[in-house]
Amino acid sequence: MRVSVLCSATLFSWATFAFPANLLNGDISEATLAEITSLTQKITRDLEAQRQGSHVKRSFNAEAQRIDTTGEHRYIKPGPNDLRGPCPGLNVMANHGYLPRNGMSTILQTATASNEVFGMGIDLSTFLSVYAAVMAGDLTTFSIGGKPKSSGLLGLTSSLGLTGAPQGLSASHNRFEHDASPTRDDLYSTGDTDSLNMDYFKQLLSMPLGPNGIDDSVFAAYRVERVRHSIATNGHYFAGPLTFFALNPATYQFTYRFYANHTAENPVGYLDAQTLMAFQGVTEENGEYKWNPGQETFPENWYRRVIGDDYGIVPFTAEAVSIELANPELIRLGGNTGEPNTFTGVDVDDLTGNVLNAQTLLEGNNLMCLAFSAALEASPDILGGLVGNVLLAVEKLTGALEPVLALLNCPQITKFDTTLFKAFPGAGSGL
Ligand SMILES: *[C@@H]1O[C@H](CO)[C@@H](O)[C@H](O)[C@H]1NC(C)=O
C-alpha cells in the first residue's frame, strides 16, 4: 500500500498519517468536502491555464498587483483573543482581514488568500494548508498561532490532532516548525520558536545586498550562517529529510519570493529593509529595532508577484535544489548527538536502501523527492483505514496534485530507515 502510493508520487497521502482516530472511522462534513472539491477544481484549472499560457510573457499590472490596505483590509492590531503565530505571512493576512482576524482559518481560506495576496502557487498553498490543518489542526480549521480558543468547523477540538488536541502551528516541532529558521530560535535552545530573535534579524539586515536587495542570493548565504550557528549552539540540532530539504528552505526562499515589491522596472521584485521590517512586525526608532509580536503589516503601496507568475511546487523545488547544489553543506542530513558541534551525518544510501546516494541525491528533483517520501514512509500505513468523506477528500486532493508531482519525476524510494535517526535526541518523529 505504502509503496504504491509513493510510486504515484502522491504528496498528499503522506498527510494522512496524522488523521486522528475518530476521523478515520468517521466523516468530515459535507461543507469541508465541498471546500476541498472546489480547491481541487481550482488546482486543475490553474494547471491547465499554465499549460496554455506558458508561452505568454507576463508583465507588470499595477492595478492587479497592488494589495489594498484600506477599508475592510486596513490594519487592525490583533486583540487579546486573536491568535497569531510563527508565520509572518499568515499573521499579516489576518491583521489585514485577508484571513479571519481571529486567527482561525480553514483550508480554503488559507490556500486561496495565499494565492491571491502573495502569488503562492495554488498547488503549494493547498498543500501547505492541508498539511497544516492535518498536522496542527483538525483537518478543516487550524490556528495560525497557539492553542485554539474556539473549536474548528467540526467542533471537535477537544479530541483531535496528532498529539491529542490541535495545538496550532506554534507547537509543531519537526512537523512544520524546524531548526535553523531565519529569525526564530531553535526549540531546544530557548523553548520559544514564535518570537523573532532580533540578533538574527539584524544579522540578516547586515548581509551585503544582492541585485534585488535582500534577495535569493542573500537568503542562501544567510541560511548557511544560520545552519552553522545552530550546529554550534544547539545540542539537539536535527536536519531531517523533510525539515531540512523542504521546510527549512521554504522559510528562506518564501521571504524574498513573497515579500519583494514588484514594479514595472523590476517585475522579479526588489526586497528592501523597510518592506521586510513591515512584514516582520519590526519598527525602528533612533537606530533601535523593536519587534512587535503579531503586528505584521502590509507596507503601503506594495505590489505582489506578477499575476500568473505564481511560485508553486515546481519553481520552489528548482530553486531549493540549485541553492543546495551551490552550498554542499546544506545537503548534510543528520544532527547533533546531544552537545553542540557533534553533528553526525546520515548516509543517504543507508537511509534509502541504496535507491539514492550522495551523487544521485543532487540529480533532478531527488532532494525534494526524498523529503516528501520521508514524511510518507514515516507514517503508519493507515491509508487503507480511511473511509467515507475523509477518503474521498484525500483522493480528490491526491488526484489533483498528481500532474504537478509527476513533473518532479521522483524515483521509487521503497525503503526509509528511520532507525538511523535514533542517535539524535532532537530528531523527534524523524522528519
Ligand atoms: C514599490 O515600488 C513602487 C514603484 O517603484 C513604489 O512606488 C512603492 O513605493 C514601492 N513600495 C514599497 C512598499 O516599497
Side-chain angles (χ1 to χ4, degrees):
M1 183 68 196
R2 194 177 295 172
V3 173
S4 68
V5 167
L6 191 56
C7 296
S8 56
T10 47
L11 185 58
F12 258 107
S13 46
W14 68 335
T16 58
F17 70 87
F19 277 131
N22 45 353
L23 265 190
L24 288 178
N25 308 324
D27 253 352
I28 51 173
S29 70
E30 289 293 328
T32 303
L33 188 61
E35 278 203 346
I36 289 174
T37 305
S38 103
L39 264 180
T40 59
Q41 287 165 349
K42 201 163 178 208
I43 294 174
T44 308
R45 276 200 306 274
D46 186 65
L47 281 175
E48 189 47 40
Q50 278 180 32
R51 246 193 304 278
Q52 293 188 356
S54 55
H55 57 285
V56 179
K57 199 175 171 316
R58 307 186 188 283
S59 53
F60 183 75
N61 176 338
E63 202 185 327
Q65 287 174 243
R66 186 161 186 269
I67 294 302
D68 184 17
T69 55
T70 61
E72 64 169 321
H73 292 306
R74 72 188 183 284
Y75 172 77
I76 300 177
K77 187 177 163 178
N81 289 320
D82 296 331
L83 296 156
R84 296 294 183 268
C87 302
L90 295 176
N91 290 350
V92 77
M93 288 196 287
N95 288 344
H96 284 267
Y98 288 101
L99 286 178
R101 291 185 187 265
N102 67 4
M104 291 296 291
S105 186
T106 70
I107 293 173
L108 184 66
Q109 284 167 336
T110 317
T112 307
S114 307
N115 176 246
E116 290 174 356
V117 176
F118 286 114
M120 179 184 279
I122 194 81
D123 55 348
L124 185 54
S125 70
T126 302
F127 168 69
L128 291 174
S129 307
V130 172
Y131 187 62
V134 170
M135 296 307 268
D138 70 355
L139 182 60
T140 59
T141 312
F142 61 95
S143 152
I144 67 175
K147 206 165 160 22
K149 295 185 169 119
S150 62
S151 63
L153 290 182
L154 293 175
L156 293 173
T157 306
S158 58
S159 55
L160 293 176
L162 185 65
T163 54
Q167 299 295 310
L169 284 186
S170 297
S172 58
H173 189 63
N174 282 354
R175 286 177 283 141
F176 236 108
E177 189 278 308
H178 51 82
D179 289 337
S181 71
T183 58
R184 266 58 177 172
D185 284 319
D186 291 356
L187 178 67
Y188 291 104
S189 294
T190 60
D192 174 9
T193 58
D194 273 9
S195 300
L196 179 136
N197 181 319
M198 193 51 82
D199 290 338
Y200 299 162
F201 192 73
K202 284 187 191 159
Q203 185 187 348
L204 172 59
L205 291 188
S206 72
M207 304 281 294
L209 295 181
N212 289 311
I214 309 170
D215 64 9
D216 46 340
S217 67
V218 176
F219 275 102
Y222 178 59
R223 186 173 146 210
V224 169
E225 290 194 10
R226 289 284 303 115
V227 168
R228 285 182 189 161
H229 177 264
S230 277
I231 292 174
T233 55
N234 174 7
H236 282 57
Y237 174 76
F238 178 65
L242 173 71
T243 48
F244 199 56
F245 288 160
L247 302 178
N248 180 281
T251 52
Y252 290 85
Q253 293 173 212
F254 286 4
T255 307
Y256 166 66
R257 297 292 167 194
F258 295 134
Y259 295 164
N261 184 36
H262 299 76
T263 61
E265 302 73 46
N266 191 344
V268 188
Y270 189 98
L271 180 60
D272 65 17
Q274 290 301 324
T275 298
L276 180 62
M277 282 164 61
F279 278 118
Q280 296 277 354
V282 173
T283 47
E284 189 212 324
E285 220 172 293
N286 305 324
E288 286 290 312
Y289 290 97
K290 182 165 173 261
W291 176 61
N292 310 288
Q295 294 165 52
E296 296 85 350
T297 59
F298 282 106
E300 295 296 317
N301 258 318
W302 180 78
Y303 298 84
R304 52 152 278 176
R305 295 176 68 82
V306 168
I307 308 293
D309 180 32
D310 288 350
Y311 191 72
I313 291 176
V314 171
F316 163 68
T317 302
E319 184 178 343
V321 170
S322 82
I323 290 170
E324 277 150 22
L325 280 170
N327 298 280
E329 66 186 277
L330 293 179
I331 308 173
R332 296 188 305 162
L333 293 180
N336 282 340
T337 55
E339 297 295 328
N341 276 323
T342 53
F343 187 89
T344 308
V346 164
D347 274 343
V348 172
D349 321 39
D350 298 339
L351 187 65
T352 63
N354 294 313
V355 170
L356 293 175
N357 58 44
Q359 197 193 327
T360 54
L361 182 65
L362 306 182
E363 293 167 2
N365 295 310
N366 288 347
L367 267 174
M368 209 51 74
C369 295
L370 180 61
F372 296 155
S373 58
L376 180 59
E377 287 295 302
S379 67
D381 196 2
I382 61 167
L383 254 188
L386 294 178
V387 293
N389 280 352
V390 175
L391 178 61
L392 222 64
V394 170
E395 283 176 352
K396 276 178 191 290
L397 290 166
T398 302
L401 277 184
E402 227 150 76
V404 183
L405 298 164
L407 291 176
L408 296 184
N409 210 359
C410 288
Q412 297 176 22
I413 300 169
T414 50
K415 184 185 163 195
F416 190 73
D417 188 0
T418 46
T419 60
L420 295 170
F421 295 136
K422 289 226 164 81
F424 311 119
S429 50
L431 293 177

